[in-house]
């Protein structure tokens, strides 16, 4: 099963195919009557030799413009219009053919969807301007002017229809561009909200950790004050305990540089850590997804902020496997190294890189690891499935 979903057909087919295929079809459809093919209509007045030169030239310019659309949209559209103009003039057509102009509409719509407003409006103006320009060139070459209000309203109507199709194509492309920009803004806003929510969550957890440490410091300081004169050695031990606890708390605060919010939501936070990984694995296995927990190195007591963050990352990753991976098993690896804790959660499912249903999501994991000055990766595996990995540095005193 692929790790990433297949792109839609509209996105997989390049713009050169969407424009070149109908344009070439329109050209073949227009000249089919000059080859006297069986079961095909015939035209007793084929193009002149000069006309065939124009048709051949246009058949080179227009596909070249289609190829150039992605890199240089306006230049590509200009070549497409020039090729269409040459073929229509070589065929001595009354106006630009509908199929040929459909290819121009597709190019205008694609430019409007992928380029800025000024460039797309320029493309629209060029597409519309080719219609009267073609009639003016016919007049300059000695052919009759067909655009007259009094004798021939049919050409004016055909021009207006073709121009209207170009406007509609531009509106559709511009709408696609605006929708894409709106979706990107929503994604950015959602990511920012996820980061903010996770920072508040970390702040509440850090509040509990700091409150616990301050309580210990207060008790030790009070004990030291009571026995300073009678038991100097005990007082020194109490003050050493105050010093150690204060250093650990300050180290945790440095790793957790977040802004504490004055008004809390009031939701109680239950302190958990890596000691609950086995319980999490047992609960998830009972729910139908087997969790294989592997430990490397020598497990040891970690600072509360690292211990809690590591458990939260594992908890969210396993939850995403259950909800989105579509697999029956996953693996959790904890590697206790000398100066860091490395954790990894892998599965063989269909990939769940966009899952954020639990309120944490990849953005929250990445933010938590960044605050601990660690490294975080989350991506589909080449062999299938998904992998979440994090490396959390451990302070030197704790490592020793």
């Amino acid at each position: 099963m692929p790790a990433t979903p297949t792109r839609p057909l509209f996105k997989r087919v390049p713009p050169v195919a969407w424009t070149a295929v109908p344009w070439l079809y329109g050209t073949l459809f227009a000249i089919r009557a000059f080859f006297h093919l069986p079961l095909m209509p015939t035209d007793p007045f084929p193009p002149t030799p000069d006309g065939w030169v124009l048709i051949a030239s246009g058949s080179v310019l227009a596909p070249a413009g289609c190829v150039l659309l992605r890199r240089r949209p306006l230049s590509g559209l200009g070549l497409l219009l020039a090729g269409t103009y040459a073929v229509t003039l070589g065929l001595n057509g009354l106006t630009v053919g509908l199929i040929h102009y459909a290819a121009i509409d597709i190019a205008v719509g694609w430019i409007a969807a992928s380029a800025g407003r000024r460039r797309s409006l320029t493309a629209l103006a060029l597409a519309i301007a080719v219609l009267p320009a073609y009639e003016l060139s016919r007049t300059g070459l000695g052919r009759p002017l067909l655009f007259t209000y009094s004798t021939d309203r049919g050409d004016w109507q055909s021009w207006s229809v073709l121009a209207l199709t170009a406007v509609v194509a531009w509106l559709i492309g511009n709408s696609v561009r605006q929708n894409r920009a709106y979706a990107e803004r929503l994604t950015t806003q959602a990511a920012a909200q996820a980061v903010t929510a996770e920072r508040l969550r970390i702040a509440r957890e850090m509040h509990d950790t700091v409150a616990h440490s301050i309580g210990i410091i207060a008790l030790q300081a009070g004990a030291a004050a009571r026995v300073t004169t009678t038991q100097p050695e005990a007082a020194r031990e109490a003050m050493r305990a105050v010093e150690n606890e204060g250093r650990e708390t300050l180290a945790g605060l440095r790793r957790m540089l977040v802004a504490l919010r004055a008004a809390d939501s009031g939701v109680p936070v239950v302190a958990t850590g890596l000691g609950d990984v086995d319980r999490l694995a047992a609960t998830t296995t009972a729910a139908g997804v087997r969790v294989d927990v592997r430990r490397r190195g020598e497990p040891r007591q970690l600072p509360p902020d690292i211990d809690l963050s590591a458990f939260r990352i594992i908890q969210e990753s396993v939850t995403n496997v259950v909800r989105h991976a579509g697999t029956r098993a996953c693996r959790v690896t904890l590697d206790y190294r000398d100066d860091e804790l490395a954790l990894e959660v892998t599965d063989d499912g269909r990939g769940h890189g966009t899952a954020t249903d639990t309120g944490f999501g990849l953005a929250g994991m990445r933010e938590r690891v960044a605050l601990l000055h660690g490294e975080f990766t989350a991506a589909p595996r080449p062999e299938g499935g998904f992998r979440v990995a994090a490396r959390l540095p451990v302070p030197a005193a704790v490592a020793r």
Side-chain angles (χ1 to χ4, degrees):
M1 184 176 295
T4 55
T6 304
R7 298 175 65 193
L9 177 63
F10 183 78
K11 293 185 177 181
R12 282 187 284 133
V13 178
V16 57
W18 289 109
T19 52
V21 170
W23 194 93
L24 293 174
Y25 171 77
T27 302
L28 294 176
F29 184 83
I31 66 176
R32 75 194 190 288
F34 306 130
F35 294 99
H36 303 285
L37 299 175
L39 303 179
M40 286 288 179
T42 59
D43 192 332
F45 302 102
T48 63
D50 293 340
W52 284 113
V53 171
L54 289 173
I55 294 173
S57 301
S59 299
V60 173
L61 291 176
C66 295
V67 173
L68 198 61
L69 271 177
R70 185 184 292 275
R71 292 178 297 170
R72 302 180 64 181
L74 290 182
S75 299
L77 179 63
L79 290 178
L80 178 61
L81 293 174
T84 304
Y85 164 84
V87 169
T88 306
L89 194 63
L91 292 170
N92 196 23
L94 299 180
T95 186
V96 178
L98 181 60
I99 301 179
H100 281 152
Y101 207 79
I104 296 174
D105 290 339
I106 294 173
V108 170
W110 188 84
I111 294 174
S114 59
R117 182 182 293 272
R118 179 178 299 179
R119 184 175 295 181
S120 65
L121 288 174
T122 302
L124 176 62
L126 290 174
I128 295 177
V130 74
L131 299 173
Y134 174 71
E135 287 299 335
L136 292 175
S137 65
R138 284 172 55 85
T139 305
L141 294 175
R143 294 179 174 87
L145 179 62
L146 298 177
F147 174 48
T148 57
Y149 289 101
S150 59
T151 61
D152 196 343
R153 292 183 178 270
D155 293 310
W156 164 248
Q157 292 176 356
S158 65
W159 289 11
S160 62
V161 170
L162 293 177
L164 180 61
T165 61
V167 172
V168 171
W170 182 89
L171 290 174
I172 293 174
N174 187 65
S175 178
V176 170
R177 182 182 60 83
Q178 290 179 342
N179 289 339
R180 187 185 299 123
Y182 179 69
E184 291 176 355
R185 288 195 298 269
L186 286 182
T187 302
T188 303
Q189 183 179 1
Q193 291 176 350
V195 170
T196 301
E198 186 56 27
R199 288 188 174 186
L200 294 176
R201 182 175 175 177
I202 296 172
R204 290 192 294 265
E205 294 170 353
M206 197 63 196
H207 172 269
D208 292 345
T209 301
V210 172
H212 174 73
S213 300
I214 295 300
I216 293 177
I217 290 174
L219 289 175
Q220 295 287 356
R226 287 191 296 270
V227 299
T228 299
T229 57
T230 59
Q231 302 180 27
E233 187 61 30
R236 283 193 293 271
E237 288 295 329
M239 294 310 296
R240 291 193 190 99
V242 169
E243 180 184 9
N244 292 335
E245 190 69 25
R247 289 183 182 278
E248 290 184 6
T249 303
L250 288 176
L253 288 175
R254 291 190 190 99
R255 291 190 297 269
M256 289 288 190
L257 286 177
V258 293
L260 296 175
R261 186 177 181 182
D264 200 354
S265 60
V267 179
V269 178
V270 180
T272 54
L274 293 177
D276 292 325
V277 170
D278 292 330
R279 178 182 58 82
L280 173 67
T283 303
T284 308
T285 301
V289 178
R290 182 172 57 84
V291 180
D292 182 14
V293 181
R294 305 173 184 176
R295 292 179 174 86
R296 300 172 183 170
E298 182 181 355
R300 59 185 181 273
Q301 187 67 33
L302 299 173
D305 51 352
I306 297 178
D307 190 54
L308 180 59
S309 295
F311 176 78
R312 293 297 190 202
I313 294 171
I314 294 174
Q315 181 185 41
E316 181 65 18
S317 300
V318 172
T319 302
N320 285 343
V321 171
V322 174
R323 293 189 176 184
H324 308 287
T327 185
R328 307 298 296 176
C330 67
R331 292 164 297 282
V332 176
T333 303
L334 288 169
D335 189 358
Y336 292 86
R337 301 173 182 173
D338 293 339
D339 56 351
E340 66 180 8
L341 171 68
L343 57 93
E344 182 184 71
V345 181
T346 58
D347 65 80
D348 298 324
R350 58 173 174 264
H352 52 278
T354 59
T356 56
D357 291 351
T358 60
F360 192 135
L362 299 181
M365 298 186 206
R366 186 172 287 105
E367 178 68 14
R368 187 183 286 272
V369 173
L371 291 173
L372 292 172
H373 305 289
E375 298 178 4
F376 177 81
T377 57
R381 303 168 63 201
E383 63 272 22
F386 202 81
R387 175 178 179 268
V388 175
R391 297 171 57 188
L392 305 177
V394 177
V398 177
R400 288 194 297 269

Coordinates of all heavy atoms in Angstrom, one line a residue, residues 95-134:
T95 N -13.1 33.3 -38.7 CA -12.6 33.7 -37.4 C -11.9 32.5 -36.7 O -11.8 31.5 -37.3 CB -13.8 34.2 -36.5 OG1 -13.2 34.7 -35.3 CG2 -14.7 33.0 -36.1
V96 N -11.3 32.8 -35.6 CA -10.6 31.7 -34.9 C -11.5 30.6 -34.6 O -12.6 30.7 -34.1 CB -9.9 32.3 -33.6 CG1 -9.2 31.1 -32.9 CG2 -9.0 33.4 -33.9
G97 N -11.1 29.3 -34.8 CA -11.9 28.2 -34.6 C -12.2 27.9 -33.1 O -11.4 28.3 -32.2
L98 N -13.4 27.4 -32.8 CA -13.8 27.1 -31.5 C -12.8 26.2 -30.7 O -12.5 26.4 -29.6 CB -15.2 26.6 -31.4 CG -15.8 26.3 -30.1 CD1 -15.9 27.6 -29.3 CD2 -17.2 25.7 -30.2
I99 N -12.4 25.1 -31.4 CA -11.5 24.2 -30.7 C -10.1 24.8 -30.4 O -9.5 24.7 -29.4 CB -11.3 22.9 -31.5 CG1 -12.7 22.3 -31.8 CG2 -10.4 21.9 -30.9 CD1 -12.7 21.0 -32.6
H100 N -9.6 25.6 -31.4 CA -8.4 26.3 -31.2 C -8.5 27.3 -30.0 O -7.6 27.4 -29.2 CB -8.0 27.0 -32.5 CG -7.3 26.2 -33.5 ND1 -7.4 26.4 -34.8 CD2 -6.6 25.0 -33.4 CE1 -6.7 25.5 -35.5 NE2 -6.3 24.6 -34.6
Y101 N -9.6 28.0 -30.0 CA -9.8 29.0 -28.9 C -10.0 28.3 -27.6 O -9.7 28.9 -26.5 CB -10.9 29.9 -29.3 CG -10.8 31.3 -28.6 CD1 -9.9 32.2 -29.2 CD2 -11.4 31.6 -27.4 CE1 -9.8 33.4 -28.6 CE2 -11.3 32.8 -26.8 CZ -10.4 33.8 -27.4 OH -10.3 35.0 -26.8
A102 N -10.5 27.1 -27.6 CA -10.7 26.3 -26.3 C -9.3 26.1 -25.7 O -9.1 26.2 -24.5 CB -11.4 25.0 -26.6
A103 N -8.3 25.8 -26.5 CA -6.9 25.6 -26.0 C -6.4 26.9 -25.4 O -5.8 27.0 -24.4 CB -6.0 25.1 -27.1
I104 N -6.7 28.1 -26.1 CA -6.4 29.4 -25.5 C -7.1 29.6 -24.2 O -6.5 30.1 -23.3 CB -6.7 30.5 -26.6 CG1 -5.8 30.3 -27.8 CG2 -6.4 31.9 -26.0 CD1 -6.2 31.2 -29.0
D105 N -8.3 29.3 -24.1 CA -9.1 29.4 -22.9 C -8.4 28.6 -21.7 O -8.3 29.1 -20.6 CB -10.5 29.0 -23.0 CG -11.3 29.9 -23.9 OD1 -10.9 31.1 -24.0 OD2 -12.4 29.5 -24.5
I106 N -8.0 27.4 -22.0 CA -7.3 26.6 -21.0 C -6.0 27.2 -20.6 O -5.7 27.3 -19.4 CB -7.1 25.2 -21.6 CG1 -8.4 24.4 -21.8 CG2 -6.2 24.4 -20.6 CD1 -8.2 23.1 -22.5
A107 N -5.3 27.8 -21.5 CA -4.0 28.5 -21.1 C -4.3 29.7 -20.3 O -3.6 29.9 -19.3 CB -3.3 28.9 -22.4
V108 N -5.4 30.5 -20.6 CA -5.7 31.6 -19.8 C -6.1 31.2 -18.4 O -5.8 31.8 -17.4 CB -6.8 32.4 -20.5 CG1 -7.4 33.5 -19.6 CG2 -6.3 33.1 -21.8
G109 N -7.0 30.2 -18.3 CA -7.4 29.7 -17.0 C -6.2 29.2 -16.2 O -6.2 29.5 -15.0
W110 N -5.3 28.5 -16.8 CA -4.1 28.0 -16.0 C -3.3 29.1 -15.5 O -2.8 29.1 -14.4 CB -3.3 27.1 -16.9 CG -2.2 26.4 -16.1 CD1 -2.3 25.2 -15.4 CD2 -0.9 26.8 -16.0 NE1 -1.1 24.9 -14.8 CE2 -0.2 25.9 -15.2 CE3 -0.2 27.9 -16.6 CZ2 1.1 26.0 -14.9 CZ3 1.2 28.0 -16.3 CH2 1.8 27.1 -15.4
I111 N -3.1 30.2 -16.4 CA -2.3 31.3 -16.0 C -3.0 32.0 -14.8 O -2.4 32.5 -13.8 CB -2.0 32.3 -17.1 CG1 -1.1 31.6 -18.2 CG2 -1.4 33.6 -16.7 CD1 -1.0 32.4 -19.5
A112 N -4.3 32.2 -14.9 CA -5.0 32.9 -13.8 C -5.0 32.1 -12.5 O -5.0 32.7 -11.4 CB -6.5 33.0 -14.2
A113 N -4.9 30.7 -12.6 CA -4.8 29.9 -11.4 C -3.4 29.9 -10.8 O -3.3 29.6 -9.6 CB -5.3 28.5 -11.7
S114 N -2.4 30.1 -11.6 CA -1.0 29.9 -11.1 C -0.2 31.2 -11.0 O 0.8 31.2 -10.3 CB -0.3 28.9 -12.0 OG -0.2 29.4 -13.3
A115 N -0.6 32.2 -11.7 CA 0.1 33.5 -11.7 C -0.6 34.6 -10.9 O -1.8 34.4 -10.5 CB 0.4 33.9 -13.1
G116 N 0.0 35.7 -10.8 CA -0.6 36.9 -10.1 C -1.7 37.5 -10.9 O -1.9 37.2 -12.1
R117 N -2.5 38.4 -10.3 CA -3.6 39.0 -11.0 C -3.2 39.8 -12.2 O -3.8 39.8 -13.2 CB -4.4 39.9 -10.0 CG -5.7 40.5 -10.6 CD -6.3 41.3 -9.5 NE -6.9 40.5 -8.4 CZ -8.1 40.0 -8.4 NH1 -8.9 40.2 -9.5 NH2 -8.5 39.3 -7.4
R118 N -2.1 40.6 -12.0 CA -1.7 41.5 -13.2 C -1.3 40.6 -14.4 O -1.7 40.9 -15.5 CB -0.5 42.3 -12.7 CG 0.0 43.3 -13.8 CD 1.1 44.2 -13.3 NE 0.6 45.0 -12.2 CZ 1.4 45.9 -11.6 NH1 2.7 46.0 -11.9 NH2 0.9 46.6 -10.6
R119 N -0.6 39.6 -14.1 CA -0.1 38.7 -15.3 C -1.3 38.0 -15.9 O -1.4 37.9 -17.1 CB 0.9 37.7 -14.8 CG 1.5 36.9 -15.9 CD 2.6 36.0 -15.4 NE 3.7 36.7 -14.9 CZ 4.8 36.2 -14.4 NH1 4.9 34.9 -14.3 NH2 5.8 36.9 -14.0
S120 N -2.3 37.6 -15.1 CA -3.4 36.9 -15.6 C -4.3 37.8 -16.4 O -4.9 37.4 -17.4 CB -4.2 36.2 -14.5 OG -4.8 37.1 -13.6
L121 N -4.5 39.0 -15.9 CA -5.3 40.0 -16.7 C -4.6 40.3 -18.0 O -5.3 40.5 -19.1 CB -5.5 41.3 -15.9 CG -6.4 41.2 -14.7 CD1 -6.4 42.4 -13.9 CD2 -7.9 40.8 -15.2
T122 N -3.3 40.4 -18.0 CA -2.6 40.6 -19.3 C -2.8 39.4 -20.3 O -3.0 39.6 -21.5 CB -1.1 40.7 -19.0 OG1 -0.8 41.8 -18.1 CG2 -0.3 41.0 -20.3
A123 N -2.8 38.2 -19.7 CA -3.1 37.0 -20.6 C -4.5 37.1 -21.1 O -4.8 36.8 -22.3 CB -2.9 35.8 -19.8
L124 N -5.5 37.5 -20.3 CA -6.9 37.6 -20.8 C -7.0 38.7 -21.9 O -7.7 38.5 -22.9 CB -7.8 38.0 -19.6 CG -9.2 38.3 -19.9 CD1 -9.9 37.0 -20.5 CD2 -10.0 38.7 -18.7
A125 N -6.3 39.8 -21.7 CA -6.4 40.9 -22.7 C -5.7 40.4 -24.0 O -6.3 40.7 -25.1 CB -5.6 42.1 -22.2
L126 N -4.7 39.7 -24.0 CA -4.0 39.1 -25.2 C -5.0 38.1 -25.9 O -5.1 38.2 -27.1 CB -2.7 38.4 -24.9 CG -1.6 39.4 -24.4 CD1 -0.4 38.5 -24.0 CD2 -1.2 40.3 -25.6
A127 N -5.6 37.3 -25.1 CA -6.5 36.3 -25.7 C -7.7 37.0 -26.4 O -8.2 36.5 -27.5 CB -7.0 35.3 -24.6
I128 N -8.2 38.0 -25.8 CA -9.4 38.7 -26.5 C -8.9 39.6 -27.7 O -9.6 39.7 -28.7 CB -10.1 39.6 -25.4 CG1 -10.7 38.7 -24.3 CG2 -11.2 40.4 -26.1 CD1 -11.4 39.4 -23.2
A129 N -7.7 40.2 -27.6 CA -7.2 41.1 -28.6 C -6.9 40.3 -29.9 O -6.9 40.9 -31.0 CB -6.0 41.8 -28.1
V130 N -6.7 39.0 -29.8 CA -6.4 38.3 -31.1 C -7.6 38.2 -32.0 O -7.4 38.1 -33.2 CB -5.9 36.9 -30.7 CG1 -7.0 36.0 -30.3 CG2 -5.1 36.3 -31.9
L131 N -8.8 38.4 -31.5 CA -10.0 38.3 -32.4 C -10.1 39.4 -33.3 O -10.1 39.2 -34.5 CB -11.2 38.1 -31.5 CG -11.2 36.9 -30.6 CD1 -12.4 37.0 -29.6 CD2 -11.3 35.6 -31.4
P132 N -10.1 40.7 -32.8 CA -10.1 41.8 -33.8 C -8.8 41.9 -34.6 O -8.8 42.4 -35.7 CB -10.4 43.0 -33.0 CG -9.9 42.7 -31.6 CD -10.2 41.2 -31.5
A133 N -7.7 41.5 -34.0 CA -6.4 41.6 -34.7 C -6.5 40.7 -35.9 O -5.9 41.1 -37.0 CB -5.3 41.2 -33.8
Y134 N -7.1 39.6 -35.8 CA -7.2 38.7 -37.0 C -8.0 39.3 -38.1 O -7.6 39.2 -39.3 CB -7.8 37.4 -36.6 CG -8.0 36.4 -37.7 CD1 -7.0 35.8 -38.3 CD2 -9.3 36.2 -38.2 CE1 -7.2 34.9 -39.4 CE2 -9.5 35.3 -39.2 CZ -8.5 34.7 -39.9 OH -8.7 33.9 -40.9

